[in-house]
Amino acid sequence: MNPPTNPSCIDTVNTLREAGCVYAEIEAQLLSDAFHGDELDAMVCRRVSGTPLEQLLGWAEFCGLRILVAPGVFVPRRRTELLVHQAAARNPHTVVDICCGSGAVGTALANIVDGLDLHAADIDPVAVLCARRNVEPVGGQVHEGDLYSTLPQHLRSNVDVIVANAPYVPTSAIGSMPPEARDHEPMVALDGGADGLDVHRRIVVDARVWLAEGGCLLVETSVRQAEHTAAIFADAGFDPTVVHSEELDGTVVVGEIHR
């Protein structure tokens, strides 16, 4: 993207830069393209106060797509593209996206895998409303409820791939997160309990009920927690493999069912 030449855009760049925005020029251009006049000024003020850029724009770039994002909904991160790539490589027919948030992972998969039978679930009603705007246009369904509790019963033993970008931040680390995440994203999408792995345990222990023969569970985690997440997989009867991408700064544990 070329440096902005419009005086008002240059002023926006300077304001954002002074506020500590690392990508001030890119953000200023995006905001200037989307908003004008007093509305632009208001959006710049909100960005300076910590509101995520994606929530202001109403979308986030993810796997080459514009994923719709609403205020109060977890913003998809680029590192989670690794989860999509690993799942797509298995060419699944039926996928469940657990803790789906905006539905970014499932939506991206549906744009890669033809004819995908996609189901997504989240406990947060705000996220569910947002996810439906992304998932339903690609032919998927979104269910509101706690993990697997709301999934259609016909999916039992018939799911090829379960993907989960579940919360994995330890409770004690929430306070040190960037304000734009800590103050503007739902705690249910961030807080993973004392060691960050409470939700991972619940996802893994019940996954086999839903997976088909030869099915696979993929869970995003951190480098520091990867061995612990893998141990949870192994204890539940999976053969786990830790996959890391330096380019995306992403880490995923892939679990094959141990028969």
Side-chain angles (χ1 to χ4, degrees):
M1 181 178 291
N2 294 325
T5 56
N6 184 290
S8 63
C9 191
I10 293 173
D11 289 342
T12 300
V13 170
N14 292 333
T15 300
L16 294 175
R17 187 175 290 136
E18 289 172 3
C21 296
V22 177
Y23 303 106
E25 290 188 355
I26 294 174
E27 294 195 13
Q29 189 65 63
L30 288 169
L31 289 170
S32 296
D33 288 345
F35 307 103
H36 303 91
D38 292 341
E39 189 178 22
L40 173 60
D41 292 341
M43 291 299 174
V44 171
C45 287
R46 290 179 61 188
R47 181 66 187 115
V48 168
S49 70
T51 303
L53 174 70
E54 294 84 358
Q55 291 183 5
L56 296 176
L57 296 173
W59 58 271
E61 184 176 348
F62 183 77
C63 287
L65 304 172
R66 284 194 175 188
I67 300 295
L68 300 178
V69 176
V73 174
F74 183 82
V75 176
R77 274 59 158 172
R78 184 167 180 261
R79 61 175 175 264
T80 306
E81 292 182 6
L82 177 63
L83 188 62
V84 174
H85 299 329
Q86 289 294 312
R90 299 176 180 278
N91 196 31
H93 172 68
T94 303
V95 167
V96 168
D97 180 4
I98 287 291
C99 299
C100 69
S102 65
V105 172
T107 300
L109 278 170
N111 275 274
I112 297 171
V113 181
D114 291 336
L116 188 67
D117 181 14
L118 171 63
H119 294 263
D122 202 288
I123 196 171
D124 182 357
V126 177
V128 168
L129 288 174
C130 182
R132 285 180 176 147
R133 296 170 62 202
N134 291 305
V135 171
E136 290 180 352
V138 297
Q141 299 179 47
V142 182
H143 311 280
E144 181 181 337
D146 184 25
L147 301 184
Y148 306 103
S149 66
T150 189
L151 293 178
Q153 290 302 300
H154 75 267
L155 292 177
R156 284 177 175 261
S157 301
N158 287 308
V159 178
D160 299 312
V161 167
I162 297 172
V163 290
N165 180 20
Y168 55 88
V169 180
T171 303
S172 61
I174 296 291
S176 62
M177 293 186 71
E180 61 185 56
R182 184 184 67 231
D183 298 337
H184 295 275
E185 294 180 325
M187 201 56 58
V188 70
L190 302 175
D191 192 343
D195 64 354
L197 303 179
D198 283 359
V199 185
H200 285 187
R201 293 184 181 91
R202 295 182 58 217
I203 289 171
V204 174
V205 74
D206 290 333
R208 293 186 60 160
V209 174
W210 300 91
L211 287 171
E213 183 79 23
C216 184
L217 171 64
L218 301 95
V219 176
E220 179 177 310
T221 189
S222 68
V223 171
R224 181 179 60 81
Q225 295 163 303
E227 290 187 8
H228 301 290
T229 302
I232 293 170
F233 273 64
D235 288 345
F238 288 88
D239 290 327
T241 302
V242 177
V243 180
H244 179 72
S245 168
E246 293 289 344
E247 178 187 359
L248 295 173
D249 191 29
T251 303
V252 171
V253 176
V254 180
E256 307 280 357
I257 296 177
H258 178 67
R259 299 294 184 183

